[in-house]
Amino acid sequence: MKREGPYFSLTSTEQSVKNLYQLSNMGIPGVWAFHIGSSSPLDNFQPATTGAHLPTARPWAPREQPVTPGTALEGDYTEDDLDYYDENEEEVEYPPSEPGETWDGHSRLDVSFQSRADAGPLGGGLSFPDLDPSSPVPHPAPSDWPSGPEPQSAHSDPQRKEAAPLGDVETPGLKGHVQPLDQAGTGSPALLEVDGDSLAPSQEGPARQPGDRIVQPYSEGRPLPSGPDLSAAYPQGEVLPDYSGPGHPSLVGGERPVVGVEDEISSNTEVFTYNSASKETCEHHHGQCSLHAFCTDYATGFCCHCQSRFNGNGRHCLPEGAPHRVNGKVSGHLRVGQTPVHFSDVDLHAYIVDNDGRAYTAISHIPQPAAQALLPLTPIGGLFGWLFALEKPGFKNGFSLTGATFVHNVEVTFYPGEERVWITQTAEGLDPENYLIMKTNIQGQVPSIPANFMAHIPPYKELYHYSDSAVTVTSSRDYSLTFGAINQTGSYRVHQNITFQACRHAGHQAVPTPQQLSVDRVFALYSEDEGVLRFAVTNQIGPVEVDSEPTPVNPCYDGSHTCDTAARCHPGTGADYTCVCAPGYQGDGRSCADVNECATGYHRCGPNSVCINLPGSYRCECQSGYEFADDQHTCILIAPPPNPCEDGSHNCAPAEQARCVNHGDGTFSCACLPGYTGSGYQCSDVDECSENRCHPAATCYNTPGSFSCLCQPGYHGDGFQCTYEPTQRPRTVCERWKESLLEHYGGAPRDDQYVPQCDDLGHFTPLQCHGKSDFCWCVDKDGREVQGTRSQPGVTPACIPTVAPPTVHPTPRPDVTPPPVGTFLLYAQGQQIGHLPLNGTRLLKDAAKTLLSLHGSIVVGIDYDCRERMVYWTDVAGRTISRASLEPGAEPETIITSGLISPEGLAIDHFRRTMYWTDSGLDKIERARLDGSERKVLFHTDLVNPRAIAVDPIRGNLYWTDWNREAPKIETSSLDGEDRRILVNKDIGLPNGLTFDPFSKLLCWADAGTKKLECTLPDGTGRRAIQNNLNYPFSIVSYTDHFYHTDWRRDGVISVNKDSGQFIDEYLPEQRSHLYGITVVYPYCPPGRK
């Protein structure tokens, strides 16, 4: 670049001018702020004339920084490099080039324009490019309407398609006189009439003062700035650049874009200086714009503008001509006549044919009285008609202003009854597949409409008034209701306002003039069989019309064309028009098919990503372990967060007392190991022997962090379960002598005959006697008489044992403590019962398996009989109660087969050999023997939804929950049904799970309403919360220092520490479905102590 006189000249060669087409000093390809010098002639560089054609630039991603002039001019671009192609050539997407460097190291651009105050005015006629409405297809039959909302798309970032080139665009030459463009319409611009030397604006605006700057930002859909100084920048005969093409809006309705940077301006006679150091700029925030938009910097910030062939507000852009879709939810509280009707989050789906203004809306599962009464309320679906209405020349539909985030408020008053209803529709953006997400709420009263009546709404027109960030409209509508020969009429008045966030950085923008929405072919239909309420409207947006003779219009403007639903209609002369497929589609315009970018390679998904084709678009998804970088194209490796448990930065108690739990986000928690108690940061040993963990016939030995149990002599087992089993050992002297004498006596000694007395271990008992006589004496360990101990009749000598008791030493610490090997959880999961082993209190998830497959069942309640090692369960599908032994090869046995509707909770009393259950269908609590006999109803009154039940066999108490939504409660009684009373009825919601801990003597419950896990003493005192953030618990069981509960949000088993309340672990079965009851299986029966 060189300085030539009072201006800068970027180039003086033809090839360098061509290079400007590919690059930019403004961050937008093909857009430069420059003045072409005249130091040497350019033989092939001609000023544009009326009707001349300029090639369309290839699609190119915006640069993050400007390109240096040196870089732009030194490159050797040949004619082949420029890839001029026509409108029928397939679209190819190109990755962005490497960003260039700023001219002076920071965001500052100096531009000088030659002062030509005396230059002549511009002139010449202008021809305007074709507009883009699209095609009419007759309304489908009601059976072809959308049946309901389509499923929400996956949440991944789509790579939307770049605009395909539009082909040749007529570019005007400039000669003669042109009025200032900022005097063009303050509303939606109309076509300017070309009359010789002048262009007549549609509306008058404020005149620009002399000296005002001409190079100003351009905002799509807004009046274009200009002024008297236009001739200073573009003298007569020089070229006005045409910036249309990919990445920039087409010129519509006589608009002429001039893109620049208008920040802090300091001026002298030759140079304007722009500084953007203290505001949000496109360089750092262009990611807030749609992928199909370009970003422009202004004095106070930046604005986004949709590219040509795309419609929207820049933040959200959708392809023109392609069908659009809406997904959402509808909730309401209505009074239909005098009947209250409530519904929540029912599905809504809308389908809009962009090129002829048809909008179809379907809402499913609204209760019949409300759905029938809503038939006349076309504003529910009419919003989508206004958003994507067919545009008449020079006018814009709603989406070009609001984009995909706005709020639509409607107040409707019915006559003659003056019922009033309010509708709020909130647009929440576009999902990854470009579906508009909408939430609708309806409140108030509507007149009742009898079943089977049809609603008829005649065509109507509405006048929309615009301000900077709001649109208002007030109108009245008539409707009729018919059924056979019956015809009723009604009307209502509608007040609507639409608020949205407009970009205010583009400087003063004239407020659009009012626009008229013409709504034709209005249909409303409710199908009771399908439960779907449907609306259909056809919409056009244009100028306010006065009654006059209709004038012929081009088929593109009234929707009577025959273009494909995925094509744009281009008007020609008279009634002629052409059809062009929308971006992402290919064909002749009459028939358009989706382009599979993933198969053709025309996508921008980078390494470590997967391309997924979508109708008219595609999206990229990163492979596992990767995430999108800021460009939303490149997948980068997800760096794992630090693990304090591995790097030693935690402060938990020593490893032999506590374990560190890594949360995966750089944080951690500490939990004492089984056998220790405390916060995890400090832990102390638990004396398990004080809790009677061992069998009564065993001796307990406490060790740090553990304990062991040893069966006493004469008993066999693991210490937790001991059984008497005499062992075979060599016979002692006492036993051999006894056996010999009995044989000598013939097996039956007389009362006066001596037979040695031996203890259980074969030793001589210290006292020996002659048969049943009173002649006794003491012996030593070898059976020899101790001298002087013989007694007289009637006197028994006092003998001292001579054999010392055996010495019992503690056994080494078992591998699995506590509890012993064999402790596990059983959980109900629909048609199966799952088996989840425990190592101490830790879940052995890898060893989990299915214990029983029960096809056709829905297992809910489950409990275990520790004496006979039997598992019992309730089946709400079969309406039965069954059991099965845990011994190999055992078969299930049904023990209760009748008199049940919905058996849910189940509890086993292993002491009394009794079971108890709740039935939420019959609202009963019953008991029976474990074989099903002696069945008895304990309670059948004051129960609404009884569910969980628990038994304390030691104290003889029964506990149960009732999740009655109006008055939830936890009750208790004796095991015989006496002394029934409410234990807890305050601050509970849905008490699903209930457990009694025999060791801590606490009654605990899990509440799906309050999301709490709480405990209390058996009398209801000492209530305290263990955990306040459960998801949706169903059943719970207590074991040592942990709770284990099933959860319907996670569909798994979750463990919670009793002391800290912390979530410790979770197990999610491979087969995901709801888990119901849960119980713990001990290898022994818990000891009883009061």
Side-chain angles (χ1 to χ4, degrees):
M1 183 173 69
K2 58 184 178 179
R3 180 71 178 266
E4 298 183 359
Y7 56 83
F8 288 113
S9 174
L10 288 176
T11 181
S12 60
T13 66
E14 178 181 358
Q15 183 60 51
S16 297
V17 171
K18 291 182 178 180
N19 292 357
L20 300 179
Y21 155 79
Q22 297 281 354
L23 304 169
S24 170
N25 63 358
M26 304 277 300
I28 303 172
V31 179
W32 290 77
F34 66 94
H35 177 82
I36 298 178
S38 57
S39 59
S40 60
L42 305 175
D43 296 335
N44 296 325
F45 191 86
Q46 300 292 335
T49 58
T50 303
H53 297 278
L54 293 179
T56 305
R58 74 169 66 175
W60 200 281
R63 293 176 176 271
E64 294 185 358
Q65 299 179 9
V67 177
T68 63
T71 305
L73 301 180
E74 292 172 4
D76 185 15
Y77 291 90
T78 65
E79 193 74 27
D80 293 335
D81 294 329
L82 295 181
D83 277 347
Y84 295 98
Y85 49 84
D86 61 31
E87 61 183 355
N88 295 320
E89 184 173 345
E90 285 192 358
E91 172 187 352
V92 182
E93 295 191 3
Y94 295 86
S97 302
E98 293 297 325
E101 299 177 351
T102 54
W103 288 3
D104 56 2
H106 57 83
S107 174
R108 181 182 179 90
L109 174 65
D110 294 336
V111 182
S112 296
F113 293 97
Q114 183 178 9
S115 179
R116 298 279 298 272
D118 55 346
L122 298 174
L126 295 176
S127 63
F128 301 94
D130 294 338
L131 296 174
D132 307 322
S134 302
S135 95
V137 176
H139 280 296
S143 62
D144 297 330
W145 291 4
S147 61
E150 296 180 4
Q152 295 285 348
S153 56
H155 293 285
S156 56
D157 292 328
Q159 309 305 321
R160 301 180 178 89
K161 304 184 181 208
E162 300 290 343
L166 294 179
D168 296 340
V169 180
E170 294 185 358
T171 305
L174 302 174
K175 51 187 176 181
H177 177 69
V178 179
Q179 294 217 1
L181 288 180
D182 60 351
Q183 296 179 12
T186 58
S188 299
L191 283 173
L192 304 180
E193 297 181 0
V194 179
D195 181 17
D197 299 332
S198 66
L199 296 172
S202 60
Q203 297 287 337
E204 292 296 321
R208 183 175 296 278
Q209 300 300 318
D212 284 357
R213 189 170 130 62
I214 176 61
V215 179
Q216 294 189 8
Y218 162 70
S219 174
E220 183 179 6
R222 300 286 189 180
L224 290 170
S226 183
D229 289 341
L230 183 64
S231 58
Y234 298 100
Q236 185 172 2
E238 293 196 12
V239 177
L240 177 66
D242 178 2
Y243 297 132
S244 64
H248 314 287
S250 300
L251 304 182
V252 178
E255 299 172 348
R256 181 175 64 220
V258 182
V259 180
V261 182
E262 185 175 26
D263 302 327
E264 301 176 10
I265 302 178
S266 60
S267 62
N268 52 38
T269 56
E270 296 182 351
V271 180
F272 291 104
T273 301
Y274 310 89
N275 192 335
S276 58
S278 61
K279 62 182 176 62
E280 291 186 348
T281 62
C282 294
E283 180 178 359
H284 299 102
H285 299 278
H286 63 82
Q288 298 181 23
C289 299
S290 165
L291 293 179
H292 302 295
F294 62 92
C295 183
T296 303
D297 285 321
Y298 296 99
T300 58
F302 69 93
C303 287
C304 307
H305 309 286
C306 292
Q307 299 172 358
S308 62
R309 302 184 69 189
F310 286 86
N311 183 34
N313 65 348
R315 299 279 179 147
H316 307 101
C317 300
L318 293 174
E320 293 180 347
H324 305 308
R325 293 172 174 84
V326 181
N327 270 351
K329 299 289 184 180
V330 182
S331 300
H333 296 272
L334 289 174
R335 183 172 292 277
V336 181
Q338 298 302 317
T339 303
V341 179
H342 307 285
F343 48 93
S344 177
D345 286 342
V346 300
D347 293 325
L348 176 147
H349 177 63
Y351 179 84
I352 301 97
V353 182
D354 183 74
N355 60 18
D356 65 4
R358 285 178 292 144
Y360 303 98
T361 304
I363 306 173
S364 60
H365 307 305
I366 293 181
Q368 189 273 341
Q372 191 77 18
L374 292 176
L375 280 171
L377 275 183
T378 56
I380 299 174
L383 169 67
F384 311 126
W386 172 76
L387 278 176
F388 302 104
L390 184 63
E391 299 168 340
K392 290 189 177 181
F395 292 86
K396 291 291 184 181
N397 57 28
F399 192 76
S400 63
L401 295 174
T402 66
T405 52
F406 59 85
V407 177
H408 177 223
N409 287 298
V410 184
E411 179 184 356
V412 180
T413 304
F414 287 88
Y415 298 100
E418 297 192 2
E419 296 91 347
R420 186 169 296 177
V421 66
W422 293 267
I423 305 171
T424 300
Q425 294 178 288
T426 304
E428 298 182 339
L430 300 175
D431 74 1
E433 295 185 7
N434 279 343
Y435 285 29
L436 178 63
I437 304 302
M438 182 71 62
K439 283 190 176 180
T440 301
N441 187 272
I442 308 174
Q443 306 272 349
Q445 184 175 10
V446 292
S448 176
I449 297 178
N452 300 319
F453 270 71
M454 302 289 290
H456 302 276
I457 300 96
Y460 59 87
K461 297 181 180 180
E462 292 181 321
L463 196 61
Y464 283 74
H465 299 270
Y466 297 82
S467 64
D468 286 342
S469 58
V471 181
T472 59
V473 57
T474 299
S475 62
S476 296
R477 298 181 197 169
D478 297 322
Y479 63 92
S480 61
L481 304 172
T482 60
F483 177 64
I486 304 174
N487 191 345
Q488 302 174 1
T489 60
S491 65
Y492 57 83
R493 187 162 181 81
V494 187
H495 298 276
Q496 303 181 65
N497 70 76
I498 301 151
T499 55
F500 56 93
Q501 186 67 45
C503 186
R504 303 178 181 274
H505 299 303
H508 175 72
Q509 300 290 330
V511 177
T513 58
Q515 298 186 132
Q516 181 172 284
L517 182 72
S518 300
V519 183
D520 195 6
R521 290 184 284 177
V522 185
F523 292 94
L525 179 67
Y526 173 64
S527 170
E528 187 172 358
D529 293 338
E530 298 176 307
V532 178
L533 174 64
R534 294 184 173 94
F535 297 101
V537 289
T538 302
N539 308 268
Q540 265 192 336
I541 195 80
V544 179
E545 298 176 353
V546 295
D547 294 335
S548 61
E549 291 296 325
T551 58
V553 296
N554 189 281
C556 289
Y557 300 142
D558 63 7
S560 61
H561 58 80
T562 59
C563 298
D564 189 89
T565 56
R568 299 174 62 206
C569 180
H570 292 266
T573 304
D576 295 336
Y577 63 91
T578 57
C579 303
V580 177
C581 293
Y585 295 86
Q586 61 185 358
D588 60 3
R590 312 280 174 165
S591 176
C592 298
D594 173 56
V595 175
N596 188 338
E597 295 81 1
C598 300
T600 60
Y602 295 158
H603 62 82
R604 299 177 63 185
C605 299
N608 304 310
S609 66
V610 177
C611 177
I612 299 175
N613 188 58
L614 301 173
S617 183
Y618 69 93
R619 73 169 183 264
C620 302
E621 289 186 358
C622 289
Q623 297 174 356
S624 177
Y626 291 84
E627 63 183 357
F628 281 116
D630 292 339
D631 62 4
Q632 297 301 309
H633 298 297
T634 306
C635 292
I636 58 177
L637 189 65
I638 300 175
N643 185 345
C645 297
E646 291 185 356
D647 60 26
S649 61
H650 66 84
N651 58 344
C652 299
E656 64 271 14
Q657 298 181 2
R659 66 188 181 99
C660 178
V661 180
N662 180 36
H663 294 172
D665 57 357
T667 63
F668 69 96
S669 60
C670 304
C672 293
L673 292 175
Y676 292 90
T677 183
S679 64
Y681 303 94
Q682 292 183 340
C683 301
S684 58
D685 177 56
V686 174
D687 184 3
E688 293 88 353
C689 293
S690 66
E691 300 176 352
N692 291 346
R693 299 280 190 92
C694 299
H695 189 270
T699 304
C700 180
Y701 300 92
N702 187 54
T703 58
S706 183
F707 71 102
S708 60
C709 302
L710 181 65
C711 290
Q712 296 174 3
Y715 291 85
H716 176 74
D718 58 5
F720 297 96
Q721 184 72 30
C722 299
T723 56
Y724 179 73
E725 290 186 6
T727 58
Q728 296 295 325
R729 52 176 171 75
R731 290 176 298 166
T732 64
V733 172
C734 180
E735 291 169 335
R736 291 197 305 270
W737 187 11
K738 180 178 181 179
E739 183 180 348
S740 176
L741 288 176
L742 288 174
E743 184 178 352
H744 175 71
Y745 296 146
R750 297 191 309 269
D751 290 345
D752 62 341
Q753 290 180 326
Y754 172 69
V755 177
Q757 303 299 308
C758 310
D759 63 16
D760 291 338
L761 299 178
H763 303 302
F764 287 97
T765 59
L767 179 66
Q768 298 286 322
C769 298
H770 271 291
K772 296 181 180 179
S773 71
D774 291 334
F775 294 100
C776 301
W777 64 94
C778 299
V779 299
D780 62 14
K781 65 178 181 178
D782 296 321
R784 292 188 294 266
E785 182 179 349
V786 178
Q787 294 298 324
T789 60
R790 275 191 182 266
S791 65
Q792 297 299 319
V795 179
T796 301
C799 301
I800 301 173
T802 59
V803 179
T807 302
V808 180
H809 298 283
T811 58
R813 173 175 173 170
D815 292 336
V816 182
T817 58
V821 175
T823 301
F824 51 87
L825 300 174
L826 293 179
Y827 59 88
Q829 187 180 20
Q831 301 187 54
Q832 65 184 27
I833 295 176
H835 171 279
L836 179 57
L838 296 175
N839 183 351
T841 56
R842 183 168 58 88
L843 303 175
L844 294 179
K845 293 178 279 190
D846 293 338
K849 64 181 182 179
T850 298
L851 180 71
L852 289 172
S853 292
L854 304 166
H855 298 294
S857 300
I858 300 179
V859 181
V860 177
I862 186 171
D863 205 359
Y864 174 68
D865 173 24
C866 58
R867 285 181 57 179
E868 295 185 349
R869 291 181 57 80
M870 302 273 283
V871 59
Y872 290 73
W873 67 89
T874 62
D875 179 0
V876 298
R879 299 181 178 181
T880 59
I881 299 177
S882 303
R883 66 181 179 181
S885 171
L886 295 185
E887 299 301 325
E891 292 292 332
E893 173 191 4
T894 301
I895 52 179
I896 302 290
T897 60
S898 63
L900 301 175
I901 295 294
S902 182
E904 295 189 6
L906 180 68
I908 302 296
D909 180 353
H910 65 277
F911 280 3
R912 294 169 181 79
R913 317 305 297 153
T914 307
M915 61 180 173
Y916 303 84
W917 68 89
T918 63
D919 192 318
S920 64
L922 298 174
D923 294 336
K924 288 182 180 180
I925 294 177
E926 298 187 65
R927 79 171 184 191
R929 302 292 292 176
L930 292 185
D931 60 0
S933 63
E934 300 181 27
R935 181 174 174 182
K936 177 184 177 181
V937 175
L938 294 182
F939 305 107
H940 61 85
T941 60
D942 296 328
L943 293 172
V944 177
N945 295 111
R947 172 160 287 169
I949 191 166
V951 64
D952 176 6
I954 305 302
R955 295 161 191 80
N957 291 332
L958 187 67
Y959 307 93
W960 65 91
T961 69
D962 187 336
W963 57 272
N964 173 12
R965 292 183 183 272
E966 302 300 325
K969 60 186 175 180
I970 300 175
E971 293 188 275
T972 183
S973 74
S974 70
L975 296 179
D976 294 325
E978 304 294 334
D979 192 23
R980 177 182 180 181
R981 63 195 185 279
I982 294 176
L983 204 62
V984 180
N985 63 354
K986 296 185 182 301
D987 300 323
I988 59 175
L990 297 175
N992 278 341
L994 186 70
T995 183
F996 181 80
D997 182 4
F999 298 109
S1000 65
K1001 302 183 292 295
L1002 289 176
L1003 179 71
C1004 304
W1005 66 93
D1007 195 317
T1010 64
K1011 311 300 183 185
K1012 291 183 179 182
L1013 194 167
E1014 298 185 80
C1015 293
T1016 183
L1017 293 173
D1019 60 359
T1021 62
R1023 179 175 176 178
R1024 67 187 181 96
I1026 306 297
Q1027 170 58 246
N1028 296 309
N1029 294 294
L1030 303 181
N1031 289 310
Y1032 198 101
F1034 186 86
S1035 180
I1036 188 169
V1037 67
S1038 171
Y1039 177 64
T1040 67
D1041 60 350
H1042 279 64
F1043 292 104
Y1044 301 90
H1045 70 271
T1046 56
D1047 187 275
W1048 277 18
R1049 290 280 187 270
R1050 300 290 297 160
D1051 286 339
V1053 177
I1054 298 177
S1055 63
V1056 177
N1057 185 277
K1058 284 184 183 178
D1059 299 318
S1060 65
Q1062 291 181 327
F1063 294 107
I1064 300 302
D1065 200 359
E1066 70 174 357
Y1067 166 66
L1068 306 179
E1070 290 185 5
Q1071 179 181 349
R1072 301 301 293 276
S1073 62
H1074 283 338
L1075 275 62
Y1076 295 89
I1078 188 170
T1079 190
V1080 62
V1081 174
Y1082 301 85
Y1084 61 94
C1085 288
R1089 44 169 197 157
K1090 295 189 178 181

